[in-house]
Amino acid sequence: MNLLGETKDAISRSGHSTDDVRFVGSRDGELGIPWSQAEKVLDVDYDEGYGGQEIAADLVVAFTDGGFLRREEYDGSEWWEYEPPFRVPTPQKPFKFVKLPTYRTRLLVDINYPMEATEE
């Protein structure tokens, strides 16, 4: 697999173009280059199949609208996953609990509004 081609395809599938790229770099933002420099860096071939992960796990493509592509991996198989920009919905419901008394993990809405969550 060619990472540059895969990245361009993922950018297109996310509804963006390379003109929308703010930077390519590490997820924490400590390392980053503009798209014009990233094309040369991303032009590498790798085995996207099962085995060992070859592409940096914290590599992201950040867009000007706040969305980004992040690397995902399962058993050595690698791909891009799109993360849309976080938009705070209005209105929001208040909550008082973040943990159930049991070990079973649930969503915040399930913990705070159990009847609404199970009525669906």
Side-chain angles (χ1 to χ4, degrees):
M1 172 69 75
N2 180 271
L3 182 60
L4 177 59
E6 177 191 19
T7 304
K8 286 180 176 180
D9 288 346
I11 289 170
S12 179
R13 282 192 314 275
S14 75
H16 295 87
S17 74
T18 56
D19 292 337
D20 299 318
V21 174
R22 177 175 286 154
F23 77 91
V24 176
S26 59
R27 188 168 185 162
D28 64 8
E30 293 290 321
L31 302 175
I33 54 178
W35 180 255
S36 59
Q37 294 175 15
E39 284 189 280
K40 184 175 182 179
V41 175
L42 297 175
D43 194 11
V44 295
D45 293 328
Y46 77 100
D47 182 357
E48 85 282 14
Y50 294 100
Q53 186 171 6
E54 296 182 33
I55 304 301
D58 65 338
L59 182 65
V60 297
V61 176
F63 299 112
T64 55
D65 67 0
F68 62 97
L69 295 172
R70 59 182 159 73
R71 295 301 291 174
E72 286 294 318
E73 180 267 343
Y74 177 77
D75 201 20
S77 181
E78 305 177 48
W79 64 93
W80 285 113
E81 205 54 52
Y82 176 63
E83 188 75 35
F86 182 76
R87 307 273 188 234
V88 178
T90 54
Q92 293 175 299
K93 290 182 177 181
F95 65 93
K96 295 181 180 181
F97 307 105
V98 294
K99 178 183 179 289
L100 283 175
T102 64
Y103 289 109
R104 188 170 175 209
T105 303
R106 290 195 180 167
L107 299 175
L108 197 56
V109 69
D110 294 339
I111 295 168
N112 288 274
Y113 297 94
M115 296 306 285
E116 290 180 34
T118 57
E119 287 177 1
E120 295 176 3

